[in-house]
Amino acid sequence: MNDKKILIINAAIQLFAEEGVGVPTAKIAKEAGVSNGTLFNYFDTKQNLIDDVCFFIAEKMAAEIFVDLDRSRDMEEIFFHVWSAYIYWAQKNLLEYKVLGLLKSSQIVSESVFKKIDNFFAVIDENMEQGIKDNIIKDLPLDLLSEIARGQLDATVSYIQSNKLKKADVDRFTRISFEIYVKGISV
Amino acid sequence: MNDKKILIINAAIQLFAEEGVGVPTAKIAKEAGVSNGTLFNYFDTKQNLIDDVCFFIAEKMAAEIFVDLDRSRDMEEIFFHVWSAYIYWAQKNLLEYKVLGLLKSSQIVSESVFKKIDNFFAVIDENMEQGIKDNIIKDLPLDLLSEIARGQLDATVSYIQSNKLKKADVDRFTRISFEIYVKGISV
Amino acid sequence: MNDKKILIINAAIQLFAEEGVGVPTAKIAKEAGVSNGTLFNYFDTKQNLIDDVCFFIAEKMAAEIFVDLDRSRDMEEIFFHVWSAYIYWAQKNLLEYKVLGLLKSSQIVSESVFKKIDNFFAVIDENMEQGIKDNIIKDLPLDLLSEIARGQLDATVSYIQSNKLKKADVDRFTRISFEIYVKGISV
Amino acid sequence: MNDKKILIINAAIQLFAEEGVGVPTAKIAKEAGVSNGTLFNYFDTKQNLIDDVCFFIAEKMAAEIFVDLDRSRDMEEIFFHVWSAYIYWAQKNLLEYKVLGLLKSSQIVSESVFKKIDNFFAVIDENMEQGIKDNIIKDLPLDLLSEIARGQLDATVSYIQSNKLKKADVDRFTRISFEIYVKGISV
DNA sequence: CATGAATGAGGTTTCATTCAT
DNA sequence: AATGAATGAAACCTCATTCAT
């Protein structure tokens, strides 16, 4: 992706986090260090920019979470890797994480974007399915299981952030929340 | 609260759910069957209306969830009552539930409103504290425990809604998700 | 004039002085201790109220200035009486004086009102005319002479007010400005 | 100052003179031949525009009045120069003159603007002070003397304008009013 | 008469988007 | 491409005025 396009997207992330998606495009352009008009050379409409921001964050997040995942490991190890990578990413990317949450419930991102994002997490579903077959995980619908996982992850991140935990505690609570989840869904 | 005020709040809920908080006040007024000016007789600013909508929903929700809660029952029964009442309420009040979620992450509701809302749920915290003392629940921070509960509840509601489950299945998954939660946090 | 009408007019004077003629009628009504609707029982439109306020002040001012004027005295005595009565009135009626000035240059009071007001001061013109015939006052157009008088009076009042002069000084500068005026226009 | 800014200010002057400061910004923009939005590119708020109009007029007036003033002349010559330049300017700039008067008593121009304007006329005060030291002018407070001057000037202009005097008469009455003023304040 | 809620036209201001340079 | 002034539709909000009670 073009350099200037990324500059604008990052400015948008910054400002969406601070002020919500309502920020004027003019302000975003200024923050990005480009002119008002230039922003519209890269994004036809503001809606377009919002969609791209959403996709950009999700894509980067998925990439970082799955980057050095060894898919030959056993199921619980894979899960824990993803679990802690998600929390780690949220910690390292406060703004992106916040904006992604904000966009998801804003009624404003185009439907198609979320479809694409969901694909990133297909690996987990496949893995979970195997767990059920192997009679390790309760036989429940995959989308319920992953909704719950997402819910617990976000709860954990929220706890970590609002209490400003340090590295050691982050690790501890990452493990604790993972154990709660696994214990909960185990047969 | 005044009749017309409620009319406006309900119109706002309807439209926030459909189009996000960006809807013009004019459209809200029209939906409520009053004039644009009348809306501003009841709410000084749009911000004010948004805050009131948020508080109105939360208050009603809390009232309905706790209405026939028998506080003399044992901890797990109380928990399950609240757990299923929350899911039941979300089912009966699709719009309100959606709007509350939307407002919570919108960066737009005044801080003070959430403070007030949190108070509604103090009962649960007290109960959970007792569970920890009695060595039934893992000794974890209360706010983590309730964040996780909230996360699982919303995950369950989301699953129920996106799969349009019927009464029997709703009951079943309410019970299942509760068991997952309890199993997860139990000692 | 009706009691309540005067109540409203006085409230209007108060608020015009503080905030200009832009004040909402609702605020005027509140200040007068009557309802929004009642104001419009007494004044058909806001324009009407403004006109009435203007006329009310001018009428009262004229009445007080000319009240114990002995028209048999000689010209200079009559002049000085009016001169000091004007300044005295402005001192005693800060708000009314201020509002009259504000209304005169506001482009907002109906033309007809000023016509009526001018009549109040006909006495002076007659007297001045005699002074010219008697070769005491320079033979200049009456309206120039009275414009100048008005200009000097307002200058004097302005000086008194912005320096918050006490009674003795007020009297002194009333006399001084009068002497300047008379000396200026004398043959 | 920017071309379009001046266009807007002149349109504002025109309309303030015709209809008072209450004219809609939309009308001002239209009169200036720009869009409503453009007006707000040059003036953040209407208040801002009003203040700028006031300052713009006063600044131009001061510049024109003092432009070819020979400060080495004697006091009375300097005075007369300013006196007649003021009247001349008011004649040539009917609208500006009217609007300045209107704004001064409107309760609407920001305090700070008048402070700046007063500075323009400091020259006169210095000169008058010398006149007092030299025992030519009565020993009176400077601000009283200049208030009176301003009062007489405005009275003269008002007389000239309401009688639509021609050049020759304008000159005659300029001289006459000056003599009245000087005679009045002379020792 | 008195009231004050209701009205809606109209005001100021914002902002996504365009386009000439 | 990049710019940023210009645009004008549309947003929020005000307020003179009406009218049912």
Side-chain angles (χ1 to χ4, degrees):
Chain A
M1 191 161 15
N2 185 308
D3 253 20
K4 209 160 275 186
K5 201 164 183 173
I6 293 179
L7 232 51
I8 295 169
I9 287 181
N10 280 322
I13 290 170
Q14 175 79 31
L15 291 169
F16 287 175
E18 285 169 9
E19 312 181 26
V21 278
V23 260
T25 52
K27 200 167 183 180
I28 296 171
K30 197 173 183 186
E31 174 78 22
V34 302
S35 81
N36 199 353
T38 298
L39 187 150
F40 285 92
N41 288 336
Y42 291 94
F43 306 90
D44 284 353
T45 61
K46 190 184 184 183
Q47 177 64 59
N48 227 300
L49 168 60
I50 292 171
D51 288 353
D52 278 12
V53 163
C54 191
F55 189 73
F56 175 84
I57 296 175
E59 195 176 40
K60 255 185 41 182
M61 181 183 75
E64 292 184 32
I65 288 177
F66 295 110
V67 65
D68 37 34
L69 176 66
D70 180 354
R71 300 183 185 211
S72 64
R73 293 306 192 89
D74 75 40
M75 194 197 66
E76 192 166 329
E77 279 173 330
I78 289 178
F79 265 8
F80 183 69
H81 180 100
V82 174
W83 190 273
S84 56
Y86 181 91
I87 292 172
Y88 180 79
W89 181 85
Q91 284 305 100
K92 284 276 177 196
N93 302 276
L94 290 174
L95 294 180
E96 278 85 347
Y97 176 76
K98 188 173 181 180
V99 171
L100 200 55
L102 181 157
L103 290 176
K104 276 197 294 199
S105 61
S106 70
Q107 291 295 71
I108 213 177
V109 178
S110 305
E111 191 61 28
S112 60
V113 174
F114 288 122
K115 291 249 171 71
K116 284 206 239 166
I117 292 177
D118 285 344
N119 291 336
F120 295 147
F121 294 88
V123 196
I124 302 183
D125 283 6
E126 291 159 21
N127 222 279
M128 206 117 63
E129 211 162 5
Q130 192 57 46
I132 294 172
K133 274 190 195 144
D134 296 349
N135 203 34
I136 302 171
I137 296 176
K138 284 181 178 160
D139 185 10
L140 293 169
L142 282 182
D143 48 350
L144 175 60
L145 289 171
S146 48
E147 289 273 13
I148 290 178
R150 179 65 70 103
Q152 282 209 29
L153 279 166
D154 289 338
T156 311
V157 171
S158 169
Y159 173 72
I160 289 171
Q161 289 181 355
S162 57
N163 290 284
K164 290 167 188 161
L165 299 191
K166 302 289 171 194
K167 174 118 189 48
D169 283 331
V170 170
D171 289 348
R172 193 159 70 86
F173 282 106
T174 297
R175 169 106 11 222
I176 286 171
S177 69
F178 180 70
E179 279 163 6
I180 290 175
Y181 178 63
V182 170
K183 191 174 174 207
I185 65 165
S186 293
V187 173
Chain B
M1 197 166 2
N2 185 306
D3 252 20
K4 209 156 278 184
K5 199 165 185 173
I6 292 179
L7 230 53
I8 295 169
I9 286 181
N10 281 324
I13 291 171
Q14 175 80 30
L15 291 168
F16 286 174
E18 284 169 10
E19 312 181 25
V21 281
V23 260
T25 53
K27 200 164 184 181
I28 297 171
K30 197 172 184 185
E31 174 78 23
V34 301
S35 80
N36 200 344
T38 297
L39 187 150
F40 286 94
N41 287 339
Y42 290 95
F43 306 91
D44 284 352
T45 61
K46 189 183 181 184
Q47 177 64 61
N48 225 300
L49 168 61
I50 293 172
D51 287 354
D52 277 13
V53 163
C54 190
F55 189 72
F56 175 83
I57 296 176
E59 194 176 42
K60 255 185 41 181
M61 181 184 74
E64 292 184 33
I65 288 178
F66 295 110
V67 62
D68 37 34
L69 176 67
D70 180 353
R71 298 179 187 215
S72 63
R73 294 307 193 88
D74 73 41
M75 196 196 68
E76 192 166 330
E77 280 173 329
I78 288 178
F79 265 8
F80 183 69
H81 180 103
V82 173
W83 190 273
S84 56
Y86 182 90
I87 292 172
Y88 180 79
W89 181 84
Q91 285 304 100
K92 283 275 179 195
N93 301 275
L94 289 175
L95 294 179
E96 277 87 346
Y97 177 75
K98 188 172 182 182
V99 170
L100 200 55
L102 180 157
L103 290 177
K104 275 197 294 200
S105 62
S106 69
Q107 230 30 358
I108 215 176
V109 177
S110 305
E111 191 62 29
S112 60
V113 174
F114 288 122
K115 292 245 171 73
K116 283 205 237 167
I117 292 178
D118 285 344
N119 290 335
F120 295 148
F121 294 88
V123 195
I124 302 183
D125 282 6
E126 291 162 20
N127 224 280
M128 206 116 66
E129 212 162 4
Q130 191 56 47
I132 295 172
K133 273 189 197 145
D134 297 349
N135 203 34
I136 302 171
I137 297 176
K138 282 181 180 163
D139 185 8
L140 294 168
L142 282 182
D143 48 349
L144 175 60
L145 289 170
S146 46
E147 289 271 14
I148 290 178
R150 179 66 71 106
Q152 280 210 31
L153 279 165
D154 290 336
T156 311
V157 170
S158 170
Y159 173 72
I160 289 171
Q161 288 181 356
S162 56
N163 290 283
K164 290 170 187 158
L165 300 191
K166 302 288 172 196
K167 174 114 189 51
D169 282 333
V170 170
D171 289 348
R172 195 159 70 85
F173 282 105
T174 297
R175 169 80 46 197
I176 286 172
S177 70
F178 180 70
E179 280 163 5
I180 290 174
Y181 178 63
V182 170
K183 192 174 173 208
I185 65 166
S186 293
V187 174
Chain C
M1 191 161 14
N2 184 307
D3 252 19
K4 209 159 276 187
K5 202 164 183 174
I6 293 179
L7 232 52
I8 295 169
I9 287 181
N10 280 322
I13 291 170
Q14 175 78 32
L15 291 169
F16 286 174
E18 285 169 10
E19 313 180 25
V21 278
V23 260
T25 51
K27 200 167 183 179
I28 297 172
K30 197 173 182 187
E31 175 79 22
V34 303
S35 82
N36 199 352
T38 298
L39 187 149
F40 285 92
N41 288 335
Y42 290 94
F43 305 91
D44 283 353
T45 62
K46 191 184 182 183
Q47 178 63 61
N48 226 301
L49 168 60
I50 292 171
D51 288 353
D52 278 13
V53 163
C54 191
F55 188 73
F56 175 84
I57 296 175
E59 194 176 41
K60 255 185 41 182
M61 181 183 74
E64 292 183 32
I65 288 178
F66 295 111
V67 63
D68 37 33
L69 175 66
D70 179 353
R71 300 182 185 213
S72 64
R73 294 306 194 90
D74 74 40
M75 195 197 67
E76 192 166 330
E77 279 173 330
I78 289 178
F79 265 7
F80 183 69
H81 179 101
V82 174
W83 190 273
S84 56
Y86 182 91
I87 292 172
Y88 180 79
W89 180 84
Q91 285 305 100
K92 284 277 178 195
N93 302 275
L94 290 174
L95 293 180
E96 277 86 346
Y97 176 76
K98 188 173 182 180
V99 170
L100 200 55
L102 181 157
L103 290 176
K104 275 197 295 199
S105 61
S106 69
Q107 291 293 71
I108 213 176
V109 177
S110 305
E111 191 63 27
S112 59
V113 173
F114 287 123
K115 291 248 170 71
K116 283 206 238 167
I117 292 177
D118 285 344
N119 290 336
F120 296 147
F121 295 88
V123 196
I124 303 183
D125 283 6
E126 291 161 21
N127 222 280
M128 207 116 65
E129 212 163 4
Q130 191 56 49
I132 294 171
K133 275 190 193 142
D134 296 349
N135 204 33
I136 301 170
I137 296 177
K138 284 183 177 159
D139 185 8
L140 293 168
L142 283 182
D143 48 351
L144 175 60
L145 289 170
S146 48
E147 289 272 13
I148 291 178
R150 178 65 71 104
Q152 281 210 29
L153 279 165
D154 289 337
T156 311
V157 170
S158 169
Y159 174 71
I160 289 171
Q161 289 181 355
S162 55
N163 290 284
K164 290 170 187 158
L165 299 191
K166 302 287 171 198
K167 175 120 189 46
D169 282 332
V170 170
D171 289 349
R172 194 159 71 85
F173 281 106
T174 297
R175 168 97 24 213
I176 286 171
S177 69
F178 180 70
E179 279 163 7
I180 290 174
Y181 179 62
V182 169
K183 192 174 173 208
I185 66 165
S186 293
V187 174
Chain D
M1 196 164 5
N2 185 305
D3 253 20
K4 208 155 280 183
K5 199 164 184 173
I6 292 179
L7 231 53
I8 295 168
I9 286 182
N10 281 324
I13 290 170
Q14 175 80 30
L15 290 168
F16 286 173
E18 284 169 10
E19 313 182 25
V21 279
V23 259
T25 53
K27 201 164 183 179
I28 297 171
K30 197 173 183 185
E31 174 78 22
V34 301
S35 80
N36 200 345
T38 296
L39 187 150
F40 285 93
N41 287 339
Y42 290 93
F43 306 91
D44 283 352
T45 60
K46 189 182 183 185
Q47 177 65 60
N48 225 299
L49 169 60
I50 292 171
D51 288 354
D52 278 12
V53 163
C54 190
F55 189 72
F56 175 84
I57 296 175
E59 195 176 38
K60 255 185 41 182
M61 181 183 75
E64 292 184 32
I65 288 178
F66 295 110
V67 65
D68 37 33
L69 176 66
D70 181 353
R71 298 180 188 215
S72 64
R73 295 306 193 89
D74 74 40
M75 195 197 67
E76 191 165 329
E77 280 173 327
I78 290 178
F79 265 8
F80 183 69
H81 180 103
V82 174
W83 191 273
S84 55
Y86 182 91
I87 292 172
Y88 179 79
W89 181 85
Q91 285 304 102
K92 284 276 180 196
N93 302 276
L94 289 174
L95 293 180
E96 277 87 345
Y97 177 76
K98 189 173 181 181
V99 170
L100 200 55
L102 180 157
L103 290 176
K104 276 197 292 201
S105 63
S106 69
Q107 237 16 10
I108 215 176
V109 177
S110 305
E111 191 62 28
S112 60
V113 174
F114 287 122
K115 291 246 170 74
K116 283 205 237 166
I117 293 178
D118 285 344
N119 290 336
F120 295 148
F121 294 89
V123 196
I124 302 184
D125 282 6
E126 291 161 21
N127 223 280
M128 206 117 63
E129 210 162 5
Q130 192 57 47
I132 294 172
K133 273 191 197 142
D134 296 349
N135 204 33
I136 302 171
I137 296 177
K138 283 182 179 161
D139 186 8
L140 293 169
L142 283 182
D143 48 349
L144 176 60
L145 289 171
S146 47
E147 290 270 15
I148 289 179
R150 179 65 72 104
Q152 280 209 32
L153 279 165
D154 289 337
T156 311
V157 170
S158 169
Y159 173 73
I160 289 172
Q161 289 182 353
S162 55
N163 289 283
K164 291 171 186 156
L165 299 192
K166 302 288 172 198
K167 174 115 189 51
D169 281 334
V170 170
D171 289 348
R172 195 160 69 85
F173 282 106
T174 297
R175 169 84 40 202
I176 286 171
S177 69
F178 180 69
E179 279 164 6
I180 291 174
Y181 178 63
V182 170
K183 191 175 175 206
I185 65 167
S186 293
V187 173

